[in-house]
Amino acid sequence: MAADAPKISPADIAAGLMSVKIDGMQDLPITGLKMVKTGEQIVFMSSNGRFALYGGKLLDVWTQQEIKDLPDIDRIARRIDLSRMKLNIDDLGPVTVGHGKDSVLIFIDPRCPYCGKVMKDLQALQDRYTFKLAMVPILGQESQNVVVQLACQQASKDQKDQDSVRQRLLKQDYVGLQTDNPASCNKEPLQRAIVTAKLFGLPGVPFLIAPDGRTHSGAPESLSDWLENKPAVVQAPAKTDKMEKKP
């Protein structure tokens, strides 16, 4: 039978694919699809547990919404809607900057220069937004030491300590910080921040979540424009993606 089978050239295959009418195409932010069996039921889930393919439907488990059409990818799947999740941002021990109506969550490493750019830019927007800076150490042992010291001061609930942490972050000035682990420290908020960062699949820092759920990896060219969802100005490709990536 194999000998009698008609020969199909690569050109024929390509022509067949090109003849298929495709109305639209979108990449899904899914990495590592897993098969989950529970009893007689089979569910396919993304590695972070956010997306599930069940009964012919694609669901965003975090927000309990069904993804039915291509526009839903940008409206639902490419966003992290914190308002629909059972997640209290203050449980991550964030450093708060500003007092505006809308809240912005930003994951940072205190030693990351691109995080420093974002923290510099946000200071002019404190009347419009409340920025929640969640610290995660991704730049090695020195970052880990700094994060632990700052997180322990932040968790003390002493206003002077929290003010000191805020100023150190905004200036990226960590001179004089101890290098040994504090004898008494509540590390639960820091642990929650690290787990949440892994859950969100952070490629690096800074990682921003806007009030409307849009996300951004790296330092935006204009933080104000990005937060207002203004169209980005097309520029020549840069030599850097303005983000510190996880090792």
Side-chain angles (χ1 to χ4, degrees), residues 13-204:
I13 297 174
L17 291 174
M18 292 299 292
S19 66
V20 176
K21 183 179 183 297
I22 299 177
D23 295 321
M25 185 180 298
Q26 282 272 22
D27 289 331
L28 278 169
I30 296 178
T31 56
L33 197 63
K34 299 182 182 297
M35 177 186 287
V36 180
K37 184 175 182 181
T38 169
E40 298 299 320
Q41 296 179 336
I42 297 293
V43 180
F44 293 93
M45 298 195 73
S46 59
S47 57
N48 65 350
R50 177 173 184 180
F51 301 103
L53 188 61
Y54 173 71
K57 297 181 178 180
L58 181 61
L59 304 176
D60 182 345
V61 178
W62 292 357
T63 62
Q64 297 297 305
Q65 297 182 86
E66 182 180 356
I67 300 172
K68 300 179 180 180
D69 204 351
L70 294 177
D72 293 340
I73 302 298
D74 286 324
R75 186 177 62 85
I76 300 174
R78 294 193 184 281
R79 304 189 180 211
I80 299 179
D81 190 345
L82 298 173
S83 65
R84 287 177 173 265
M85 301 176 66
K86 295 180 179 179
L87 176 65
N88 184 352
I89 301 303
D90 289 333
D91 287 343
L92 310 182
V95 176
T96 301
V97 181
H99 48 269
K101 177 182 178 182
D102 295 322
S103 181
V104 183
L105 175 61
I106 307 177
F107 288 89
I108 62 168
D109 183 306
R111 297 177 57 247
C112 158
Y114 306 120
C115 301
K117 177 187 182 309
V118 172
M119 290 189 287
K120 179 180 178 181
D121 293 346
L122 66 80
Q123 294 181 55
L125 305 172
Q126 296 185 58
D127 292 336
R128 296 160 57 188
Y129 301 95
T130 296
F131 297 93
K132 301 284 187 174
L133 309 178
M135 295 179 288
V136 289
I138 71 167
L139 296 179
Q141 185 62 48
E142 188 172 346
S143 283
Q144 182 172 324
N145 292 338
V146 171
V147 168
V148 169
Q149 293 294 336
L150 295 180
C152 287
Q153 289 185 36
Q154 181 69 13
S156 72
K157 303 301 182 183
D158 185 287
Q159 190 61 50
K160 290 184 178 180
D161 285 342
Q162 293 184 358
D163 290 343
S164 174
V165 171
R166 183 186 304 106
Q167 291 304 313
R168 282 187 177 276
L169 275 180
L170 295 179
K171 295 179 181 179
Q172 289 194 306
D173 178 11
Y174 312 117
V175 176
L177 277 178
Q178 297 180 3
T179 56
D180 55 337
N181 287 327
S184 178
C185 174
N186 177 15
K187 295 182 181 179
E188 288 186 8
L190 174 57
Q191 292 167 346
R192 292 193 189 100
I194 294 173
V195 170
T196 302
K198 290 182 177 179
L199 178 68
F200 288 168
L202 266 65

Side-chain angles (χ1 to χ4, degrees), residues 236-247:
K239 294 182 179 180
T240 175
D241 54 10
K242 297 188 177 180
M243 173 180 66
E244 289 289 352
K245 297 182 180 180
K246 295 185 293 183

